[in-house]
Amino acid sequence: MNPKCRQMINAARQQAGGRPLTDAQAAKFDTMIGSAMRQLARKDANWKSYTRDQRYMMGAEEASRELAAAAQRKIHLAQLQALKSAEVEVRMQKQRDLMGWNREQAWANEIQQADNESNALRGEYSAMMMDAITAATSTEGASLTRAVGMKVLGLDNPQMTLDIARELHAHGKAGTGNDLAALAAQAFERTNEALRLRRNAAGGDTGRLEYGYMPNAWESELVVSAGYDKFAADILPEVDRSYYVREDGSPMSDSEVLGLLRAAGETIGTDGANHMGPRPMGKGALANRGNEHRQIHWKSGDAYIRAMQKYGSGSMYDALLGHVHTMTRDIAMLERFGPNPNAQHTQQKQLSAQEGGGSESLVMWSSLDQHWAQVAGVQVSQWRYTPPLIGKGLEAVTMGRASGEFTGAGAARFWQHARNTEVFSKLQGILLTSFTDLPTYFTTTGFNKQSYFDALTNLPRAMTPVARRELVDFMNQQGLMADTLIDNLNRFTGDHVGASWSGHIASATMKLSAANWWQDGIRRAFTLTMQQGMDRWAKAGWSSLDEWTQKVLLESRGIGPDEFAVLQKATPVKTKWGDIITPEAIYATGDPLAPEVVKRYLGLLQYERTMAAVEADVSARSFMKRGTEPGTMMGEGARIFGQFKTFPVAMITRHWRRMLETPRGLEGAPLGYRQDSPVNKAALLGAFIVSMTALGAISFQAKQIAAGKDPVDMTTEKFWVRAM
């Protein structure tokens, strides 16, 4: 640091009653001054005409303003965190009073609710960029072979992808002549800006680029395999050199930019581990993520595409939706738990241990850390060791050479291919085993006190071609997209498939087997049934609802009298299926609570439809994965063991748990929940198992016939055990 500047700062600090800068503080401040000077150099056309001291003082003034803003922000975040902590305590106490839970169970429920809200936000904001999704999946200009590959295997359209990237970089004004691509860029930019503003309103600090943001979909395995030096050399021609300047405004040399790009490559290759100390719960306050200065600035959409072709993964569709998924997860965590969700989790664990006499109990056979890992995107398992010989061998097989540093990327990809191969080799006839969705569909209908007649008539509406297309479009507009690839494969395998050759084939297997058609139909039919019922409740009014509906069906999902009043204000959309309360109708009320109500309303619909056609919840995923990392021995062992076991585990963590834990005796409770006794619970669970077993028998016999075999003798005990 300039001695004169340091002297002036020390004098000011001492006058204010503070201490002089330490060497470490001076070095940090000097780094901030340098960063500020580089930013000013890019924006001030007269920067080179200033003297060195003038530039330094201007940088110091800018850094001082940033420090003052950071101090004010720190106070604001602390106040916001305290407010969110109080809200969490109020919500948890209500749940404990209603359900009879201990603190561990109440906090696990909070984690599940955060996951519900993340899924709700993902659907809502994905619906905002339907033009982008339409363009990214369009076959316009593609050859017949490519078009078939896009429909069946999920491949991308190279020319459309390039045009979208060009339009994204130029804010939709690249002049490609491709109207679909221009609309896609505009839709994504609107959505991304809405996400950025909402994240910042919740305490985040995400800046805005001068050029259009293009979501990077790096494949860390490819970066590690190439080596960081080669990665930097390959990326160097693709970056906008105007962003890389020295403090005096002169351009950085090739070696200086290569150093920045190499550091960026190391961050990508290690998934950020090179910037992290031994902190398993994440990288500090979530609110501060996203404010780091970017080190890779693309000079054009073409440059972005060339880089992604070498070091990226997946299609433009994957990249766009992946960005929305990441942002909505962050927003859900910030809005529910405050600027530092990890601190909130640590606090709740400590309070739980105090209430439990110093020990932590398990929730559905999993620890709170394992639950947290599934929602917060962190790894918590301490079982990370992989023997070097095995690790290097797998890296060599999957990456062409041993990288010299075992990151687990190659091993994770190897075993992901293996699991995907299991999917497309064993699930061709999965539709024949899906009849057991019918008992869960009608069980969920009864639990939510919806009309069985509506549930029955909505099934053909969601299954037949013409009616289904109309319903699909209506659901998509509301943010209730099926997310077929993720939902259905995650249902059976417990894992999202990778955007690789094996992942594409696994996805195609689900499409061609008609499993997607069936499961999406079940979910859409139930969602429509639930929306029809919500409209009836809103018209009846809160005071007219029975105790079961108020407490179990609404308040336990975060929809209390205040939120319900907003639903009543909304003008329902008249459709051929009846009056429906849509997110747009809720926003149209102009009520300050509208964004929160939309999130909870969609979260309720998302959660219950995956009860109707069962998918793993947070408890099931945490039990199967144990907070382990892909690519490690324990991580891959857990994933291999859990292959095709996610569905039965989810049945226990969701339906069985609901039957056993939901409070009984409330006024208006459905059959099976009216009396609180072990006999009543056993009868309800027994009836459910019998109905599932009966349809399991039909599925088993159908598979026998489809395989060209004779039906199995149904009078034997062995048959009914297999049916169960």
Side-chain angles (χ1 to χ4, degrees):
M1 174 180 285
N2 186 305
K4 184 178 178 181
C5 183
R6 183 168 182 175
Q7 185 179 3
M8 292 173 62
I9 294 174
N10 285 340
R13 287 170 64 91
Q14 288 174 339
Q15 187 176 0
R19 297 178 179 179
L21 288 173
T22 65
D23 289 342
Q25 290 173 329
K28 182 177 181 181
F29 193 63
D30 210 29
T31 300
M32 292 184 64
I33 293 174
S35 176
M37 290 172 68
R38 287 189 292 273
Q39 293 297 317
L40 291 171
R42 290 194 60 254
K43 299 176 182 178
D44 191 337
N46 299 317
W47 185 255
K48 291 184 179 180
S49 67
Y50 305 140
T51 67
R52 182 178 181 278
D53 285 346
Q54 284 177 317
R55 291 195 295 260
Y56 193 89
M57 293 306 296
M58 291 172 68
E61 290 173 1
E62 181 66 21
S64 296
R65 283 191 289 269
E66 290 180 3
L67 275 176
Q72 188 61 39
R73 172 177 163 75
K74 187 175 181 180
I75 295 172
H76 169 68
L77 293 183
Q79 294 171 338
L80 185 57
Q81 188 67 40
L83 176 64
K84 290 297 180 181
S85 294
E87 291 178 359
V88 167
E89 285 299 319
V90 171
R91 288 197 303 265
M92 288 177 62
Q93 192 56 54
K94 285 183 178 179
Q95 294 299 313
R96 295 180 70 175
D97 292 341
L98 174 65
M99 303 295 292
W101 285 336
N102 57 30
R103 181 174 285 275
E104 285 98 334
Q105 291 170 310
W107 178 241
N109 179 67
E110 279 288 306
I111 296 172
Q112 177 63 61
Q113 293 298 329
D115 189 57
N116 297 347
E117 292 177 358
S118 174
N119 291 333
L121 289 171
R122 180 178 61 172
E124 179 185 350
Y125 285 97
S126 295
M128 288 178 60
M129 46 182 254
M130 284 305 299
D131 285 337
I133 293 172
T134 300
T137 55
S138 171
T139 59
E140 183 178 305
S143 66
L144 178 61
T145 302
R146 171 63 65 162
V148 172
M150 290 178 66
K151 293 294 184 182
V152 178
L153 297 175
L155 304 181
D156 69 339
N157 183 338
Q159 187 58 51
M160 184 65 71
T161 296
L162 180 59
D163 287 346
I164 291 174
R166 289 169 174 168
E167 295 289 354
L168 282 174
H169 191 271
H171 298 291
K173 299 177 181 178
T176 60
N178 188 329
D179 293 338
L180 271 179
L183 287 173
Q186 293 163 13
F188 178 74
E189 187 160 15
R190 284 194 305 270
T191 305
N192 188 45
E193 182 62 7
L195 287 166
R196 188 184 73 86
L197 293 175
R198 184 161 183 173
R199 188 182 189 280
N200 289 351
D205 187 20
T206 304
R208 178 172 179 148
L209 293 170
E210 296 168 351
Y211 55 87
Y213 173 71
M214 295 175 289
N216 299 318
W218 298 111
E219 177 59 77
S220 59
E221 175 188 340
L222 297 176
V223 176
V224 174
S225 178
Y228 302 135
D229 289 329
K230 186 176 189 310
F231 169 81
D234 288 342
I235 298 300
L236 181 65
E238 313 299 356
V239 299
D240 185 346
R241 295 296 290 268
S242 69
Y243 281 88
Y244 303 90
V245 296
R246 299 190 183 103
E247 295 168 6
D248 63 358
S250 62
M252 286 185 177
S253 65
D254 284 355
S255 61
E256 289 173 309
V257 180
L258 282 170
L260 292 175
L261 295 177
R262 191 189 190 286
E266 188 175 351
T267 300
I268 295 166
T270 60
D271 290 326
N274 61 324
H275 293 316
M276 296 170 59
R279 300 176 62 185
M281 293 314 299
K283 297 190 290 184
L286 178 60
N288 292 325
R289 297 188 203 171
N291 65 348
E292 303 89 351
H293 293 296
R294 292 170 55 85
Q295 291 183 312
I296 300 179
H297 297 273
W298 306 112
K299 66 181 181 183
S300 66
D302 296 70
Y304 164 82
I305 291 297
R306 286 192 294 268
M308 289 300 107
Q309 286 173 341
K310 287 184 179 179
Y311 296 105
S313 173
S315 64
M316 179 63 76
Y317 172 84
D318 299 321
L320 296 177
L321 285 187
H323 175 69
V324 171
H325 188 190
T326 299
M327 289 289 283
T328 52
R329 182 188 67 188
D330 286 356
I331 291 169
M333 298 293 284
L334 290 169
E335 290 184 345
R336 193 166 188 90
F337 301 131
N340 197 341
N342 288 329
Q344 187 76 254
H345 173 67
T346 300
Q347 178 184 353
Q348 292 300 330
K349 280 205 309 172
Q350 292 170 347
L351 292 173
S352 297
Q354 291 174 10
E355 287 190 14
S359 62
E360 179 187 343
S361 60
L362 300 179
V363 180
M364 292 307 294
W365 315 296
S366 304
S367 70
L368 292 178
D369 275 353
Q370 290 164 354
H371 280 73
W372 187 251
Q374 299 307 311
V375 179
V378 298
Q379 306 297 335
V380 299
S381 173
Q382 301 303 310
W383 296 95
R384 299 181 178 183
Y385 176 71
T386 299
L389 183 62
I390 296 176
K392 289 182 179 180
L394 287 175
E395 297 286 324
V397 169
T398 57
M399 297 165 61
R401 66 180 182 85
S403 63
E405 52 176 314
F406 176 66
T407 65
R413 174 55 63 93
F414 176 86
W415 291 114
Q416 183 68 68
H417 283 316
R419 291 193 298 276
N420 289 344
T421 302
E422 285 283 286
V423 170
F424 63 71
S425 65
K426 293 186 176 180
L427 294 188
Q428 300 94 333
I430 193 63
L431 178 64
L432 298 177
T433 68
S434 297
F435 297 135
T436 48
D437 285 328
L438 293 174
T440 58
Y441 175 75
F442 286 107
T443 296
T444 308
T445 299
F447 179 87
N448 286 280
K449 295 193 68 175
Q450 299 303 316
S451 165
Y452 285 109
F453 178 77
D454 285 346
L456 192 61
T457 54
N458 287 335
L459 276 174
R461 289 169 175 166
M463 299 290 187
T464 52
V466 176
R468 177 181 178 275
R469 183 67 263 167
E470 193 173 2
L471 186 59
V472 167
D473 291 340
F474 180 67
M475 293 288 181
N476 287 350
Q477 291 169 9
Q478 296 184 73
L480 292 164
M481 301 170 65
D483 283 344
T484 296
L485 176 61
I486 293 176
D487 287 351
N488 290 311
L489 285 174
N490 193 44
R491 179 189 199 206
F492 294 105
T493 68
D495 238 338
H496 300 329
V497 300
S500 60
W501 64 267
S502 62
H504 289 314
I505 298 176
S507 175
T509 299
M510 299 299 289
K511 291 179 183 178
L512 297 176
S513 69
N516 289 351
W517 163 79
W518 172 265
Q519 289 149 21
D520 286 350
I522 290 286
R523 288 172 182 162
R524 289 194 177 97
F526 180 81
T527 301
L528 181 58
T529 301
M530 196 76 190
Q531 287 186 302
Q532 292 166 334
M534 290 291 289
D535 177 68
R536 286 193 290 268
W537 290 346
K539 288 175 179 175
W542 182 265
S543 59
S544 299
L545 302 179
D546 56 51
E547 190 179 21
W548 172 270
T549 304
Q550 287 182 352
K551 291 187 175 181
V552 175
L553 303 184
L554 293 174
E555 287 187 298
S556 69
R557 283 87 175 265
I559 301 179
D562 293 339
E563 291 80 11
F564 192 80
V566 179
L567 289 175
Q568 287 185 288
K569 288 182 187 178
T571 302
V573 176
K574 296 188 179 299
T575 71
K576 64 191 301 180
W577 312 293
D579 291 350
I580 302 295
I581 299 176
T582 65
E584 289 82 358
I586 298 172
Y587 278 122
T589 64
D591 194 286
L593 277 177
E596 190 69 20
V597 173
V598 168
K599 180 174 66 177
R600 297 183 183 184
Y601 176 54
L602 290 180
L604 185 158
L605 296 175
Q606 295 273 12
Y607 185 78
E608 289 301 314
R609 76 178 189 174
T610 55
M611 288 287 291
V614 181
E615 183 188 327
D617 61 352
V618 172
S619 292
R621 298 200 304 270
S622 62
F623 173 72
M624 300 301 293
K625 296 183 181 178
R626 318 305 292 174
T628 56
E629 298 180 32
T632 62
M633 284 192 68
M634 289 298 294
E636 294 305 328
R639 286 158 176 76
I640 292 169
F641 175 78
Q643 182 86 340
F644 306 127
K645 298 179 180 66
T646 302
F647 178 76
V649 172
M651 287 294 297
I652 297 173
T653 63
R654 303 196 72 170
H655 280 280
W656 290 30
R657 187 181 182 188
R658 171 175 278 183
M659 292 177 190
L660 296 174
E661 291 188 0
T662 302
R664 261 72 170 176
L666 297 177
E667 180 248 332
L671 185 66
Y673 295 91
R674 294 173 185 170
Q675 296 178 351
D676 189 11
S677 70
V679 174
N680 183 270
K681 293 179 181 179
L684 182 64
L685 187 59
F688 182 73
I689 293 175
V690 167
S691 63
M692 292 288 290
T693 302
L695 284 179
I698 296 174
S699 295
F700 179 73
Q701 295 288 45
K703 288 175 67 177
Q704 288 290 112
I705 295 172
K709 300 177 182 178
D710 292 332
V712 175
D713 183 2
M714 298 177 62
T715 63
T716 65
E717 180 179 325
K718 182 179 179 181
F719 170 81
W720 290 105
V721 170
R722 296 180 70 177
M724 182 184 296

